Amino acid sequence: MDNESNKHWLYRKKNLPTLWGIQIAILVLAVLPEFFVHHHPHFEQQGIGMDATWGFFAWYGFLTCTAMVVGAKLLGIFLKRKDTYYDD
Amino acid sequence: MTEMLGSMLLPPGLVLIIGAFLLPLVEGKLRAALVLTLPLLTLALVWLIPDGNHVQIAFLDYSLQPVNSTAEGRLFATIFSIMAFAGGLYALKTATLTELSAAFAYAGSAIGVTFAGDLITLFIFWEMMALGSTMVLWANTAANPKAYKASIRYLLVHLLGGVVLMSGIAAYVFETGSTAFTAMQADSVATWLILAGFLVNAGAPPLSAWIADAYPEASPSGMVFLSAFTTKTAVFVLLVGFAGTEILIYIGLYMVFYGIIYALLENDMRRILAYSIVNQVGFMVTAIGIGSEMALNGAAAHAFAHIIYKALLLMSAGSVLLMTSKRKCTELGGLFQSMPVTAINGIVGALAISAFPFTSGFVTKSLETSAAAYEGLVFVWFMLLAASAGVFLHAGIKFPWFVFFQKDSGMRPPDPAANMRWAMWLFSFLCIAIGVYPQALYSILPYAVDYQPYTVDHLVTQFQLLLFAGFAFFVLLPMMKRTLTISLDFDWFYRRFAKVVGDEFSVKTGKAFDRLETQVRGGATGFIQRLHRHHGPQGILARTWPSGAMVLWVAVMLVASLVLYYV
């Protein structure tokens, strides 16, 4: 317990739920304007209006990042080597 | 008057190049004064030279135009001068003299390219940049033995690029009879070669690996210099020479995602940032490929902003390296507690590269993405949007998180020396100043800007994109656990495959050589034995003749001459 209290508050286990709570609150704040702001689609002429739908930028950012992390993980299976690989 | 002034002008880059040779001649405060004033002198000269072509020097059958001032060139020369100043300030106390001199010659050559009105001048400065940057890297050999081999590999890639560029220029001059460096069409072997030569320095595929291979082996200040000039000079020449070349869109998109994927896999903090250079230059190359005025403005503005925030990130990472001697994410963490200045400046750089509102990235990168939208390039726009989220993922959060937060490494190093802190504060200030007041930068872009980055729609969507990208980072954190690994890249072909082939070849040739040696040795031995038989001590041709025989032969000769005399 003494060990815990020596740590910076960011590293204390009991503060972890608070930190997640703050993050979720920020995300909710970021999505709130969706109820008031009307987005203009970038590609009206091409008949694409997806980028003006509710919460598009939020889910697009989340999903593409997930895809990139998973993609990197998969490529890593083939590409990763020990970091002494090129040492003679 | 301006004409007269113009005809006497030197290329502004020469100030730094000559300065590079002056630095070793002075010491102490005088050297520090030179390091800090020469870039400012260069900057003043860059802005004093009016638009247009001022100096013509006859060279063989061609005329060189080393002082050709354009809006694009001035913009790049401006940021290169500012970079030389801040880099010099950062490097002042820790860099070796070799590194400092090389960095100034390197920066001066880069500015030389931005004022080159003809391809020959461009090529000369281009190659001087290759030498200068190699020296910056090589200068770190004493501190990091790996820097030596890395500098040789780096030089080889750039000499290859130089040869390709030179062939292209030679063919281009032969075909068109013109040496002028202007907009070109990639429609002949000559122009394709020039384009390829430019792209090598941009870090385009397949040779993207040289950036992450070489730069992180440089000293803390060395990598700050290296990150700024080579790739951005390439952006400049592509912008002037090949705007609107469609293939650049796809090359750029490849670079954008290559940078993200490799940075996500990487463990070395400065290699993460090296991959991120390829990612950022990818945005610029894509915009150059789009080629509209807005896109070109975007590429130029993004290059300007990028040099500042990438140097800032590398100053932050360099300070960590300097104070801890550690470079791997697996060994770092928790440093915000004892290095608050380094952490804060690193975070400002990270927010700027991620294009957070009120930073330089927000007001520059959005020119590029909006240009894709205006041109109706649906696929390109959606890709750039995903990539923008990915930038936050691989550089914006990953770098500060693993270096300054994550687990507590237990290390408590202090912030670096004052000159390094000032350099970081200066660039942090510029990141935010450009973000808050973009008009200053917009007003020096090549084309008039009709764009408002601060709309409610843009602010809301950008915050959503980035914050949810950040959310993905923390949700997927278990998948991002750092490992003691590197990732294979194209450099495997010349670092491993070529070596294996070379070894195989040398075994085969070794055997052949042995056979040849045996044969030659046999032949030579035979020859010597024959020589010995005839000319040796017992040889028939080296025998001592008795004097009686000599007298007999002299008598015979005399008789013969007598007989001939009377006949």
Side-chain angles (χ1 to χ4, degrees):
Chain A
M1 198 59 219
D2 203 29
N3 197 13
E4 264 303 272
S5 58
N6 279 338
K7 285 184 187 168
H8 192 278
W9 63 268
L10 267 182
Y11 290 106
R12 287 177 211 159
K13 273 220 169 65
K14 64 168 186 189
N15 288 334
L16 212 57
T18 320
L19 290 173
W20 275 104
I22 293 171
Q23 190 176 12
I24 303 286
I26 293 173
L27 294 178
V28 170
L29 270 181
V31 181
L32 269 185
E34 287 297 287
F35 294 105
F36 318 105
V37 177
H38 173 73
H39 300 299
H40 298 283
H42 289 84
F43 301 101
E44 231 162 3
Q45 287 163 339
Q46 285 96 327
I48 295 166
M50 190 167 75
D51 54 321
T53 53
W54 199 92
F56 164 78
F57 285 82
W59 69 255
Y60 189 76
F62 185 84
L63 282 189
T64 51
C65 281
T66 308
M68 282 182 264
V69 172
V70 172
K73 193 88 184 157
L74 290 176
L75 274 171
I77 296 170
F78 304 100
L79 295 177
K80 275 190 174 187
R81 294 290 183 276
K82 278 184 97 64
D83 59 5
T84 50
Y85 180 74
Y86 285 118
D87 297 351
D88 293 322
Chain B
M1 180 62 202
T2 34
E3 274 308 302
M4 252 182 67
L5 190 74
S7 61
M8 296 188 302
L9 280 175
L10 284 174
L14 274 189
V15 174
L16 289 178
I17 296 173
I18 294 168
F21 292 95
L22 290 178
L23 289 182
L25 305 178
V26 294
E27 278 185 349
K29 287 219 166 97
L30 196 55
R31 185 185 290 162
L34 271 185
V35 167
L36 296 179
T37 50
L38 288 175
L40 297 179
L41 189 65
T42 310
L43 182 60
L45 200 53
V46 165
W47 280 90
L48 281 176
I49 298 174
D51 271 355
N53 199 359
H54 299 290
V55 179
Q56 304 261 0
I57 301 170
F59 171 72
L60 304 178
D61 288 341
Y62 310 106
S63 87
L64 304 186
Q65 301 159 8
V67 192
N68 181 42
S69 182
T70 59
E72 293 91 343
R74 191 162 45 237
L75 181 78
F76 279 81
T78 301
I79 189 57
F80 288 164
S81 310
I82 296 174
M83 182 62 234
F85 174 81
L89 177 61
Y90 183 80
L92 211 49
K93 298 264 172 65
T94 49
T96 61
L97 177 60
T98 316
E99 181 191 306
L100 216 48
S101 285
F104 268 47
Y106 173 35
S109 316
I111 293 173
V113 172
T114 63
F115 274 84
D118 67 290
L119 291 162
I120 298 171
T121 307
L122 185 149
F123 180 75
I124 293 169
F125 283 121
W126 193 263
E127 293 297 286
M128 282 169 64
M129 270 172 60
L131 294 178
S133 50
T134 304
M135 284 292 283
V136 170
L137 195 50
W138 180 84
N140 195 38
T141 304
N144 171 20
K146 282 185 176 177
Y148 174 72
K149 279 192 175 176
S151 71
I152 300 298
R153 285 195 298 274
Y154 175 85
L155 184 63
L156 286 176
V157 170
H158 288 281
L159 290 182
L160 173 73
V163 168
V164 173
L165 177 60
M166 182 76 247
S167 330
I169 291 174
Y172 180 79
V173 173
F174 178 75
E175 274 173 20
T176 63
S178 158
T179 58
F181 175 47
T182 51
M184 291 175 252
Q185 295 293 325
D187 56 4
S188 67
V189 176
T191 45
W192 276 108
L193 285 172
I194 294 176
L195 180 61
F198 288 168
L199 282 171
V200 168
N201 274 20
L207 289 173
S208 310
W210 63 263
I211 294 179
D213 174 27
Y215 287 178
E217 303 307 331
S219 75
S221 50
M223 188 166 173
V224 172
F225 285 117
L226 289 168
S227 73
F229 303 115
T230 303
T231 46
K232 259 59 78 188
T233 313
V235 168
F236 166 75
V237 292
L238 287 171
L239 197 152
V240 174
F242 293 98
T245 306
E246 199 188 345
I247 192 172
L248 290 179
I249 297 179
Y250 304 101
I251 292 175
L253 285 178
Y254 175 91
M255 291 167 70
V256 163
F257 288 100
Y258 160 93
I260 295 174
I261 298 290
Y262 273 85
L264 284 174
L265 290 170
E266 187 52 52
N267 186 32
D268 182 315
M269 62 173 167
R270 291 200 302 166
R271 295 190 71 176
I272 293 173
L273 297 176
Y275 285 123
S276 149
I277 296 175
V278 183
N279 160 273
Q280 293 286 299
V281 173
F283 277 96
M284 301 167 210
V285 171
T286 304
I288 293 168
I290 294 171
S292 66
E293 288 191 355
M294 186 182 200
L296 297 178
N297 269 344
H302 192 196
F304 193 99
H306 170 81
I307 288 176
I308 297 171
Y309 56 65
K310 181 47 59 70
L312 177 59
L313 284 163
L314 284 165
M315 285 175 184
S316 175
S319 302
V320 169
L321 174 64
L322 190 71
M323 304 312 286
T324 65
S325 305
K326 302 240 186 304
R327 48 195 280 189
K328 294 171 185 172
C329 290
T330 38
E331 298 171 333
L332 295 163
L335 295 176
F336 78 97
Q337 299 169 80
S338 64
M339 302 183 80
V341 174
T342 309
I344 289 169
N345 285 297
I347 291 168
V348 171
L351 292 176
I353 197 173
S354 312
F356 255 87
F358 310 108
T359 66
S360 55
F362 180 71
V363 298
T364 54
K365 197 163 72 180
S366 53
L367 282 167
E368 295 169 328
T369 39
S370 300
Y374 286 156
E375 298 303 307
L377 301 166
V378 182
F379 173 74
V380 177
W381 186 81
F382 276 91
M383 285 292 114
L384 289 180
L385 194 65
S388 299
V391 173
F392 190 38
L393 197 66
H394 85 274
I397 309 187
K398 187 180 173 180
F399 166 72
W401 172 257
F402 280 106
V403 173
F404 298 111
F405 301 99
Q406 62 150 341
K407 66 187 198 299
D408 191 346
S409 65
M411 289 186 289
R412 293 290 184 272
D415 272 313
N419 62 311
M420 298 178 125
R421 298 200 302 269
W422 289 340
M424 288 193 276
W425 285 124
L426 171 66
F427 269 11
S428 279
F429 169 77
L430 287 179
C431 282
I432 294 168
I434 293 172
V436 174
Y437 184 69
Q439 287 76 15
L441 176 58
Y442 284 179
S443 69
I444 56 170
L445 294 180
Y447 306 97
V449 179
D450 174 29
Y451 177 70
Q452 173 51 258
Y454 289 105
T455 62
V456 174
D457 190 23
H458 191 201
L459 282 170
V460 165
T461 54
Q462 186 72 359
F463 270 125
Q464 287 174 351
L465 185 76
L466 294 180
L467 291 170
F468 277 84
F471 184 53
F473 178 89
F474 288 108
V475 168
L476 300 169
L477 206 51
M479 285 182 77
M480 313 264 276
K481 197 169 156 33
R482 294 296 87 227
T483 48
L484 283 168
T485 50
I486 55 151
S487 307
L488 294 184
D489 199 336
F490 191 81
D491 59 344
W492 181 83
F493 285 98
Y494 54 84
R495 298 177 71 179
R496 254 310 136 91
F497 182 68
K499 193 171 179 311
V500 170
V501 171
D503 288 350
E504 181 65 21
F505 182 72
S506 64
V507 167
K508 289 262 162 67
T509 47
K511 279 183 184 156
F513 187 77
D514 281 349
R515 274 201 302 279
L516 189 70
E517 197 185 2
T518 322
Q519 278 176 13
V520 170
R521 199 185 283 268
T525 315
F527 176 71
I528 290 168
Q529 276 169 355
R530 274 198 301 281
L531 211 60
H532 191 260
R533 193 161 64 233
H534 297 299
H535 295 274
Q538 305 302 320
I540 195 160
L541 295 174
R543 217 173 277 163
T544 336
W545 297 80
S547 46
M550 194 65 185
V551 174
L552 176 72
W553 280 109
V554 169
V556 170
M557 296 287 271
L558 278 171
V559 171
S561 65
L562 256 171
V563 171
L564 283 173
Y565 185 76
Y566 286 109
V567 169

